[in-house]
Amino acid sequence: DNQVSKVTLAGNRTLDNPTNMVDGGTYILRVIQDATGSRTLSYGTAYKWPLGVAPVLSTGSNDVDIISFVSDGTSMFGVISLDFA
């Protein structure tokens, strides 16, 4: 429901398809590795990436990645900025 959110990964996780996407909506997700690091994030089918390749997160302990999305109401088109350590 929030346009700006964060998640701390304490294990490998999947980001399910969102509900209530708005055409033209922008969304930002701050993804934080826990102290262990090397956690992975998979994505539901609504998430679309440049060249069709989902990003690989930074793996260091407490690393921060920021994923920005623009929605067309059906899909979430994302780009990632990596490794804000």
Side-chain angles (χ1 to χ4, degrees):
D1 290 336
N2 296 327
Q3 286 183 276
V4 179
S5 296
K6 74 173 184 173
V7 62
T8 299
L9 300 177
N12 297 334
R13 301 287 185 249
T14 298
L15 190 59
D16 290 332
N17 290 334
T19 58
N20 302 320
M21 289 180 275
V22 175
D23 186 10
T26 57
Y27 306 89
I28 298 172
L29 179 62
R30 187 167 38 127
V31 181
I32 305 162
Q33 292 281 353
D34 66 4
T36 300
S38 296
R39 310 300 189 177
T40 62
L41 186 61
S42 314
Y43 308 91
T45 57
Y47 295 95
K48 308 298 181 193
W49 306 100
L51 303 175
V53 178
V56 176
L57 298 176
S58 301
T59 58
S61 169
N62 301 308
D63 276 356
V64 176
D65 297 330
I66 297 174
I67 309 175
S68 302
F69 299 99
V70 175
S71 179
D72 65 359
T74 302
S75 296
M76 297 283 274
F77 300 94
V79 294
I80 190 166
S81 298
L82 296 170
D83 203 10
F84 293 86

Coordinates of all heavy atoms in Angstrom, one line a residue:
D1 N 0.8 -1.2 0.0 CA 0.0 0.0 0.0 C 0.9 1.3 0.0 O 0.4 2.3 -0.4 CB -0.9 0.0 1.2 CG -2.0 -1.0 1.1 OD1 -2.4 -1.4 -0.1 OD2 -2.6 -1.4 2.1
N2 N 2.1 1.2 0.5 CA 2.9 2.4 0.6 C 3.7 2.6 -0.7 O 4.1 1.6 -1.3 CB 3.9 2.3 1.8 CG 3.2 2.2 3.1 OD1 2.1 2.8 3.2 ND2 3.7 1.5 4.0
Q3 N 4.0 3.8 -1.1 CA 4.8 4.1 -2.3 C 6.2 4.0 -1.9 O 7.0 3.8 -2.9 CB 4.4 5.4 -2.9 CG 3.1 5.4 -3.6 CD 2.7 6.7 -4.2 OE1 2.2 7.6 -3.6 NE2 3.0 6.8 -5.5
V4 N 6.6 4.1 -0.7 CA 8.0 4.0 -0.3 C 8.0 3.0 0.9 O 7.3 3.3 1.9 CB 8.6 5.4 0.1 CG1 10.1 5.2 0.6 CG2 8.5 6.4 -1.0
S5 N 8.8 2.0 0.7 CA 8.8 0.9 1.8 C 10.3 0.4 1.9 O 11.1 0.7 1.1 CB 7.9 -0.2 1.4 OG 6.6 0.2 1.4
K6 N 10.5 -0.4 3.0 CA 11.8 -1.0 3.2 C 11.5 -2.4 3.7 O 10.5 -2.7 4.3 CB 12.7 -0.2 4.1 CG 12.3 -0.4 5.6 CD 13.3 0.3 6.5 CE 12.9 0.0 7.9 NZ 13.9 0.5 8.9
V7 N 12.5 -3.3 3.4 CA 12.5 -4.6 3.9 C 14.0 -5.0 4.3 O 14.9 -4.6 3.6 CB 11.9 -5.6 2.9 CG1 12.8 -5.7 1.6 CG2 11.8 -7.0 3.5
T8 N 14.1 -5.6 5.4 CA 15.4 -6.2 5.8 C 15.3 -7.7 5.6 O 14.5 -8.4 6.2 CB 15.7 -5.9 7.3 OG1 15.8 -4.4 7.4 CG2 17.1 -6.5 7.7
L9 N 16.2 -8.2 4.8 CA 16.2 -9.6 4.5 C 16.9 -10.4 5.5 O 18.1 -10.2 5.8 CB 16.9 -9.9 3.1 CG 16.3 -9.2 1.9 CD1 17.1 -9.4 0.7 CD2 14.8 -9.6 1.7
A10 N 16.2 -11.3 6.2 CA 16.8 -12.2 7.2 C 16.8 -13.6 6.7 O 17.1 -14.6 7.4 CB 15.9 -12.1 8.5
G11 N 16.6 -13.8 5.4 CA 16.6 -15.0 4.7 C 16.3 -14.8 3.2 O 16.0 -13.6 2.9
N12 N 16.4 -15.8 2.4 CA 16.1 -15.6 1.0 C 14.5 -15.4 0.9 O 13.8 -16.1 1.6 CB 16.5 -16.8 0.2 CG 18.0 -17.0 0.2 OD1 18.7 -16.0 0.4 ND2 18.5 -18.2 0.1
R13 N 14.1 -14.5 0.1 CA 12.7 -14.1 0.1 C 12.2 -13.9 -1.3 O 13.0 -13.8 -2.3 CB 12.4 -12.8 0.8 CG 12.9 -12.8 2.3 CD 11.9 -13.6 3.1 NE 12.2 -13.5 4.5 CZ 12.7 -14.5 5.2 NH1 12.9 -15.7 4.7 NH2 12.9 -14.3 6.5
T14 N 10.9 -13.9 -1.5 CA 10.2 -13.6 -2.8 C 9.3 -12.4 -2.6 O 8.6 -12.3 -1.6 CB 9.4 -14.8 -3.2 OG1 10.2 -15.9 -3.4 CG2 8.6 -14.5 -4.5
L15 N 9.4 -11.5 -3.5 CA 8.6 -10.3 -3.6 C 7.4 -10.6 -4.4 O 7.5 -10.7 -5.7 CB 9.4 -9.1 -4.1 CG 8.7 -7.7 -4.0 CD1 8.4 -7.4 -2.6 CD2 9.6 -6.7 -4.6
D16 N 6.3 -10.9 -3.8 CA 5.1 -11.3 -4.5 C 4.5 -10.2 -5.4 O 4.8 -9.0 -5.1 CB 4.0 -11.8 -3.6 CG 4.3 -13.2 -2.9 OD1 5.0 -13.9 -3.5 OD2 3.9 -13.4 -1.8
N17 N 3.7 -10.5 -6.3 CA 3.0 -9.5 -7.1 C 2.2 -8.5 -6.2 O 1.5 -9.0 -5.4 CB 2.1 -10.1 -8.2 CG 2.8 -10.9 -9.2 OD1 4.0 -10.6 -9.5 ND2 2.2 -11.8 -9.8
P18 N 2.3 -7.2 -6.5 CA 1.6 -6.3 -5.7 C 0.1 -6.2 -6.1 O -0.2 -6.6 -7.1 CB 2.3 -5.0 -6.0 CG 2.9 -5.1 -7.3 CD 3.2 -6.6 -7.4
T19 N -0.6 -5.7 -5.2 CA -2.0 -5.4 -5.5 C -2.2 -3.9 -5.5 O -1.4 -3.2 -5.0 CB -3.0 -6.0 -4.4 OG1 -2.6 -5.5 -3.1 CG2 -2.8 -7.6 -4.4
N20 N -3.3 -3.4 -6.1 CA -3.6 -2.0 -6.1 C -2.6 -1.1 -6.8 O -2.4 0.0 -6.4 CB -3.9 -1.5 -4.6 CG -4.9 -2.3 -3.9 OD1 -5.9 -2.6 -4.5 ND2 -4.7 -2.5 -2.6
M21 N -2.0 -1.7 -7.8 CA -1.0 -0.8 -8.6 C -1.8 0.2 -9.3 O -3.0 0.0 -9.7 CB -0.3 -1.7 -9.6 CG 0.7 -2.6 -9.1 SD 1.5 -3.6 -10.4 CE 0.4 -4.9 -10.6
V22 N -1.2 1.4 -9.4 CA -1.9 2.5 -10.1 C -1.1 2.8 -11.4 O 0.1 3.0 -11.3 CB -1.9 3.8 -9.2 CG1 -2.4 5.0 -9.9 CG2 -2.7 3.5 -7.9
D23 N -1.8 3.0 -12.5 CA -1.2 3.4 -13.7 C -0.5 4.7 -13.5 O -1.1 5.7 -13.1 CB -2.2 3.5 -14.8 CG -1.6 3.7 -16.2 OD1 -0.4 3.6 -16.4 OD2 -2.4 4.0 -17.1
G24 N 0.8 4.8 -13.8 CA 1.6 6.0 -13.6 C 2.2 6.1 -12.2 O 2.9 7.1 -11.9
G25 N 1.8 5.2 -11.3 CA 2.4 5.2 -10.0 C 3.8 4.9 -9.9 O 4.4 4.1 -10.7
T26 N 4.5 5.6 -9.0 CA 5.9 5.3 -8.8 C 6.1 4.7 -7.3 O 5.4 5.2 -6.4 CB 6.8 6.6 -8.9 OG1 6.3 7.6 -8.0 CG2 6.8 7.1 -10.3
Y27 N 7.0 3.8 -7.2 CA 7.2 3.1 -6.0 C 8.7 2.8 -5.7 O 9.4 2.6 -6.7 CB 6.5 1.7 -6.0 CG 5.0 1.8 -6.4 CD1 4.6 1.8 -7.7 CD2 4.0 2.0 -5.4 CE1 3.3 1.9 -8.1 CE2 2.7 2.1 -5.8 CZ 2.3 2.1 -7.1 OH 1.0 2.2 -7.4
I28 N 9.1 2.9 -4.5 CA 10.5 2.8 -4.1 C 10.6 1.7 -3.0 O 9.8 1.8 -2.0 CB 11.1 4.1 -3.7 CG1 11.1 5.1 -4.8 CG2 12.5 3.9 -3.2 CD1 11.5 6.5 -4.5
L29 N 11.5 0.8 -3.2 CA 11.7 -0.2 -2.1 C 13.2 -0.2 -1.8 O 14.1 -0.4 -2.6 CB 11.3 -1.6 -2.7 CG 11.5 -2.8 -1.7 CD1 10.7 -2.6 -0.5 CD2 11.3 -4.1 -2.4
R30 N 13.4 0.0 -0.5 CA 14.8 -0.1 0.1 C 15.0 -1.5 0.6 O 14.2 -1.9 1.5 CB 15.0 1.0 1.2 CG 16.4 1.1 1.7 CD 16.6 2.4 2.5 NE 15.5 2.7 3.4 CZ 15.6 2.9 4.7 NH1 16.7 2.8 5.3 NH2 14.5 3.2 5.4
V31 N 15.9 -2.2 0.1 CA 16.2 -3.6 0.4 C 17.5 -3.6 1.2 O 18.6 -3.2 0.7 CB 16.3 -4.5 -0.8 CG1 16.5 -6.0 -0.4 CG2 15.0 -4.4 -1.6
I32 N 17.5 -4.1 2.4 CA 18.6 -4.1 3.3 C 19.0 -5.6 3.6 O 18.2 -6.4 4.0 CB 18.3 -3.4 4.6 CG1 17.7 -2.0 4.3 CG2 19.5 -3.3 5.6 CD1 17.0 -1.3 5.4
Q33 N 20.3 -5.9 3.5 CA 20.8 -7.2 3.9 C 20.9 -7.1 5.4 O 21.3 -6.1 6.0 CB 22.2 -7.4 3.3 CG 22.2 -7.6 1.8 CD 21.7 -9.1 1.4 OE1 21.5 -9.9 2.2 NE2 21.5 -9.2 0.1
D34 N 20.7 -8.3 6.1 CA 20.9 -8.3 7.5 C 22.4 -8.5 7.8 O 23.2 -8.4 6.8 CB 20.1 -9.5 8.1 CG 20.5 -10.9 7.7 OD1 21.5 -11.0 6.9 OD2 19.9 -11.9 8.1
A35 N 22.8 -8.7 9.0 CA 24.2 -8.7 9.4 C 24.9 -9.9 8.7 O 26.1 -9.9 8.6 CB 24.3 -8.8 10.9
T36 N 24.2 -10.9 8.3 CA 24.7 -12.1 7.7 C 25.1 -11.8 6.2 O 26.1 -12.2 5.7 CB 23.8 -13.3 7.8 OG1 23.6 -13.6 9.2 CG2 24.3 -14.5 7.1
G37 N 24.1 -11.1 5.5 CA 24.3 -10.8 4.1 C 24.1 -12.0 3.2 O 23.7 -13.1 3.7
S38 N 24.3 -11.8 2.0 CA 24.2 -12.9 0.9 C 22.8 -13.4 0.8 O 22.6 -14.5 0.3 CB 25.2 -14.1 1.2 OG 26.5 -13.6 1.1
R39 N 21.8 -12.6 1.2 CA 20.4 -13.0 1.0 C 19.9 -12.7 -0.4 O 20.5 -11.8 -1.0 CB 19.5 -12.3 2.0 CG 19.9 -12.3 3.5 CD 20.0 -13.7 4.0 NE 20.3 -13.6 5.5 CZ 20.3 -14.7 6.2 NH1 20.2 -15.9 5.7 NH2 20.5 -14.5 7.5
T40 N 19.0 -13.5 -0.9 CA 18.5 -13.3 -2.3 C 17.1 -12.8 -2.3 O 16.3 -13.1 -1.3 CB 18.6 -14.5 -3.1 OG1 17.8 -15.6 -2.5 CG2 20.1 -15.0 -3.2
L41 N 16.7 -12.2 -3.3 CA 15.3 -11.7 -3.5 C 14.8 -12.2 -4.9 O 15.4 -11.8 -5.9 CB 15.2 -10.2 -3.3 CG 13.8 -9.6 -3.3 CD1 13.0 -10.1 -2.2 CD2 13.9 -8.1 -3.2
S42 N 13.7 -12.9 -4.9 CA 13.1 -13.3 -6.2 C 11.9 -12.4 -6.4 O 11.4 -11.8 -5.4 CB 12.6 -14.8 -6.1 OG 13.6 -15.6 -5.6
Y43 N 11.3 -12.4 -7.6 CA 10.2 -11.5 -7.9 C 9.1 -12.2 -8.6 O 9.3 -13.1 -9.4 CB 10.8 -10.4 -8.8 CG 12.0 -9.7 -8.3 CD1 13.3 -10.2 -8.6 CD2 11.9 -8.6 -7.4 CE1 14.4 -9.6 -8.1 CE2 13.1 -8.1 -6.9 CZ 14.3 -8.6 -7.2 OH 15.5 -8.0 -6.7
G44 N 7.9 -11.7 -8.3 CA 6.7 -12.2 -8.9 C 6.7 -11.8 -10.4 O 7.5 -11.0 -10.9
T45 N 5.7 -12.4 -11.2 CA 5.7 -12.2 -12.6 C 5.3 -10.7 -13.0 O 5.5 -10.4 -14.2 CB 4.7 -13.1 -13.2 OG1 3.4 -12.9 -12.6 CG2 5.1 -14.6 -13.0
A46 N 4.8 -9.9 -12.1 CA 4.4 -8.6 -12.5 C 5.6 -7.6 -12.6 O 5.5 -6.6 -13.1 CB 3.4 -8.0 -11.4
Y47 N 6.8 -8.1 -12.0 CA 8.0 -7.3 -12.0 C 8.7 -7.4 -13.4 O 9.0 -8.6 -13.8 CB 8.9 -7.6 -10.8 CG 8.2 -7.3 -9.5 CD1 7.5 -8.2 -8.8 CD2 8.2 -6.0 -9.0 CE1 6.8 -7.9 -7.7 CE2 7.6 -5.7 -7.8 CZ 6.9 -6.6 -7.2 OH 6.3 -6.3 -6.0
K48 N 9.0 -6.3 -14.0 CA 9.7 -6.3 -15.3 C 11.0 -5.6 -15.2 O 11.1 -4.5 -14.5 CB 8.8 -5.7 -16.4 CG 7.4 -6.3 -16.5 CD 7.4 -7.7 -16.9 CE 6.0 -8.2 -17.0 NZ 5.9 -9.7 -17.0
W49 N 12.1 -6.1 -15.8 CA 13.4 -5.5 -15.7 C 14.0 -5.2 -17.0 O 13.7 -5.8 -18.0 CB 14.3 -6.5 -14.9 CG 13.7 -6.9 -13.6 CD1 13.0 -8.1 -13.4 CD2 13.6 -6.2 -12.4 NE1 12.5 -8.1 -12.1 CE2 12.9 -6.9 -11.5 CE3 14.1 -4.9 -12.1 CZ2 12.7 -6.5 -10.2 CZ3 13.9 -4.5 -10.8 CH2 13.2 -5.3 -9.8
P50 N 15.0 -4.3 -17.1 CA 15.7 -4.0 -18.4 C 16.3 -5.3 -18.9 O 16.8 -6.1 -18.2 CB 16.8 -3.0 -18.0 CG 16.2 -2.3 -16.8 CD 15.5 -3.4 -16.0
L51 N 16.1 -5.5 -20.2 CA 16.5 -6.7 -20.9 C 15.9 -8.0 -20.4 O 16.4 -9.1 -20.7 CB 18.1 -6.8 -20.9 CG 18.8 -5.5 -21.5 CD1 20.2 -5.7 -21.4 CD2 18.4 -5.3 -23.0
G52 N 14.9 -7.9 -19.5 CA 14.3 -9.1 -19.0 C 15.1 -9.8 -18.0 O 14.8 -11.0 -17.6
V53 N 16.1 -9.2 -17.4 CA 17.0 -9.8 -16.4 C 16.8 -9.2 -15.0 O 17.0 -8.0 -14.8 CB 18.5 -9.7 -16.8 CG1 19.4 -10.3 -15.8 CG2 18.7 -10.3 -18.2
A54 N 16.3 -10.0 -14.1 CA 16.1 -9.5 -12.7 C 17.5 -9.2 -12.1 O 18.5 -9.9 -12.3 CB 15.4 -10.6 -11.9
P55 N 17.5 -8.1 -11.3 CA 18.8 -7.7 -10.7 C 19.3 -8.7 -9.6 O 18.4 -9.4 -9.0 CB 18.5 -6.4 -10.1 CG 17.0 -6.4 -9.8 CD 16.4 -7.3 -10.9
V56 N 20.5 -8.7 -9.4 CA 21.1 -9.5 -8.3 C 21.5 -8.4 -7.2 O 22.2 -7.4 -7.5 CB 22.4 -10.2 -8.7 CG1 23.1 -10.9 -7.5 CG2 22.0 -11.3 -9.8
L57 N 21.0 -8.7 -6.0 CA 21.3 -7.7 -4.9 C 22.7 -7.7 -4.5 O 23.5 -8.7 -4.7 CB 20.4 -8.1 -3.7 CG 18.9 -8.1 -3.8 CD1 18.3 -8.6 -2.6 CD2 18.4 -6.7 -4.2
S58 N 23.1 -6.6 -3.8 CA 24.4 -6.6 -3.2 C 24.4 -7.6 -2.0 O 23.3 -7.8 -1.4 CB 24.7 -5.2 -2.6 OG 24.6 -4.2 -3.6
T59 N 25.5 -8.2 -1.7 CA 25.5 -9.3 -0.8 C 26.2 -9.0 0.5 O 26.2 -9.9 1.4 CB 26.2 -10.5 -1.5 OG1 27.5 -10.2 -1.8 CG2 25.4 -11.0 -2.7
G60 N 26.8 -7.9 0.7 CA 27.5 -7.6 1.9 C 26.6 -7.4 3.1 O 25.5 -7.1 3.0
S61 N 27.2 -7.6 4.3 CA 26.5 -7.4 5.5 C 26.0 -6.0 5.6 O 26.7 -5.0 5.4 CB 27.5 -7.7 6.7 OG 27.0 -7.3 7.9
N62 N 24.7 -5.8 5.9 CA 24.0 -4.5 6.0 C 24.0 -3.7 4.7 O 23.7 -2.5 4.8 CB 24.6 -3.8 7.2 CG 24.5 -4.5 8.5 OD1 23.4 -5.0 8.8 ND2 25.6 -4.7 9.2
D63 N 24.3 -4.2 3.6 CA 24.3 -3.5 2.3 C 22.8 -3.0 2.1 O 21.9 -3.7 2.4 CB 24.7 -4.3 1.1 CG 26.2 -4.4 1.0 OD1 26.9 -3.7 1.7 OD2 26.7 -5.1 0.1
V64 N 22.7 -1.9 1.4 CA 21.4 -1.3 1.1 C 21.3 -1.2 -0.4 O 22.2 -0.6 -1.1 CB 21.2 0.0 1.8 CG1 19.9 0.6 1.3 CG2 21.2 -0.1 3.3
D65 N 20.3 -1.7 -1.0 CA 20.0 -1.5 -2.5 C 18.6 -0.8 -2.5 O 17.7 -1.0 -1.7 CB 19.9 -2.8 -3.2 CG 21.2 -3.6 -3.2 OD1 22.3 -2.9 -3.2 OD2 21.1 -4.8 -3.3
I66 N 18.5 0.1 -3.5 CA 17.2 0.8 -3.7 C 16.6 0.4 -5.1 O 17.3 0.6 -6.1 CB 17.4 2.3 -3.6 CG1 17.9 2.6 -2.2 CG2 16.1 3.1 -3.9 CD1 18.3 4.1 -2.0
I67 N 15.4 -0.1 -5.1 CA 14.7 -0.5 -6.3 C 13.6 0.5 -6.5 O 12.7 0.7 -5.7 CB 14.2 -1.9 -6.2 CG1 15.3 -2.9 -5.8 CG2 13.6 -2.3 -7.6 CD1 14.8 -4.3 -5.6
S68 N 13.6 1.1 -7.7 CA 12.5 2.1 -8.1 C 11.7 1.5 -9.2 O 12.2 0.8 -10.1 CB 13.2 3.4 -8.6 OG 14.0 3.9 -7.7
F69 N 10.3 1.7 -9.1 CA 9.4 1.1 -10.0 C 8.5 2.2 -10.5 O 8.1 3.1 -9.8 CB 8.5 0.0 -9.3 CG 9.2 -1.1 -8.8 CD1 9.6 -1.2 -7.4 CD2 9.6 -2.2 -9.6 CE1 10.2 -2.3 -6.9 CE2 10.3 -3.3 -9.0 CZ 10.6 -3.3 -7.7
V70 N 8.0 2.0 -11.8 CA 6.9 2.7 -12.4 C 5.9 1.7 -12.8 O 6.3 0.7 -13.4 CB 7.4 3.6 -13.6 CG1 6.2 4.3 -14.2 CG2 8.4 4.7 -13.1
S71 N 4.7 1.9 -12.5 CA 3.6 0.9 -12.9 C 2.8 1.4 -14.0 O 2.5 2.6 -14.2 CB 2.8 0.6 -11.7 OG 1.8 -0.3 -12.0
D72 N 2.3 0.5 -14.8 CA 1.2 0.8 -15.8 C -0.1 0.2 -15.3 O -1.1 0.2 -16.1 CB 1.6 0.2 -17.2 CG 1.6 -1.3 -17.2 OD1 1.4 -2.0 -16.1 OD2 1.9 -1.9 -18.3
G73 N -0.2 -0.1 -14.0 CA -1.4 -0.6 -13.5 C -1.5 -2.1 -13.5 O -2.3 -2.8 -12.8
T74 N -0.6 -2.8 -14.3 CA -0.6 -4.2 -14.4 C 0.8 -4.8 -14.1 O 1.0 -5.8 -13.4 CB -0.9 -4.7 -15.8 OG1 -2.2 -4.2 -16.1 CG2 -0.9 -6.2 -15.9
S75 N 1.8 -4.0 -14.5 CA 3.2 -4.4 -14.3 C 4.0 -3.4 -13.5 O 3.6 -2.2 -13.4 CB 3.9 -4.7 -15.6 OG 3.3 -5.7 -16.3
M76 N 5.1 -3.8 -12.9 CA 6.0 -2.9 -12.2 C 7.3 -2.9 -12.9 O 8.0 -4.0 -13.0 CB 6.2 -3.4 -10.8 CG 4.9 -3.4 -10.0 SD 4.5 -1.7 -9.4 CE 5.4 -1.6 -7.9
F77 N 7.7 -1.8 -13.6 CA 8.9 -1.7 -14.3 C 10.0 -1.2 -13.4 O 9.9 0.0 -12.9 CB 8.7 -0.8 -15.5 CG 7.7 -1.3 -16.5 CD1 6.3 -0.9 -16.3 CD2 8.0 -2.3 -17.4 CE1 5.3 -1.4 -17.2 CE2 7.0 -2.8 -18.2 CZ 5.7 -2.4 -18.1
G78 N 11.1 -2.0 -13.1 CA 12.0 -1.6 -12.1 C 13.4 -1.4 -12.6 O 13.9 -2.0 -13.6
V79 N 14.1 -0.6 -11.9 CA 15.6 -0.4 -12.0 C 16.2 -0.4 -10.6 O 15.5 0.0 -9.6 CB 15.9 0.9 -12.7 CG1 15.5 0.9 -14.2 CG2 15.4 2.1 -12.1
I80 N 17.4 -0.7 -10.5 CA 18.0 -0.9 -9.2 C 19.3 0.0 -9.0 O 20.0 0.1 -10.0 CB 18.3 -2.3 -8.8 CG1 18.7 -2.5 -7.4 CG2 19.4 -2.9 -9.8 CD1 18.7 -4.0 -6.9
S81 N 19.5 0.5 -7.9 CA 20.8 1.2 -7.5 C 21.4 0.4 -6.4 O 20.7 0.1 -5.4 CB 20.5 2.6 -7.0 OG 19.9 3.4 -8.0
L82 N 22.6 -0.1 -6.6 CA 23.2 -1.0 -5.7 C 24.2 -0.5 -4.7 O 24.9 0.5 -5.0 CB 24.0 -2.1 -6.6 CG 23.1 -2.9 -7.5 CD1 24.0 -3.7 -8.5 CD2 22.2 -3.8 -6.7
D83 N 24.3 -1.2 -3.6 CA 25.4 -1.1 -2.7 C 25.6 0.2 -2.0 O 26.7 0.8 -2.1 CB 26.7 -1.6 -3.4 CG 27.7 -2.1 -2.3 OD1 27.4 -2.2 -1.2 OD2 28.9 -2.3 -2.8
F84 N 24.6 0.7 -1.4 CA 24.7 1.8 -0.5 C 25.2 1.3 0.9 O 24.4 1.0 1.7 CB 23.4 2.6 -0.3 CG 22.9 3.3 -1.6 CD1 22.2 2.6 -2.5 CD2 23.3 4.6 -1.8 CE1 21.8 3.2 -3.7 CE2 22.8 5.2 -2.9 CZ 22.1 4.5 -3.9
A85 N 26.5 1.1 1.0 CA 27.0 0.4 2.3 C 27.3 1.4 3.3 O 27.6 2.6 3.1 CB 28.2 -0.4 1.9

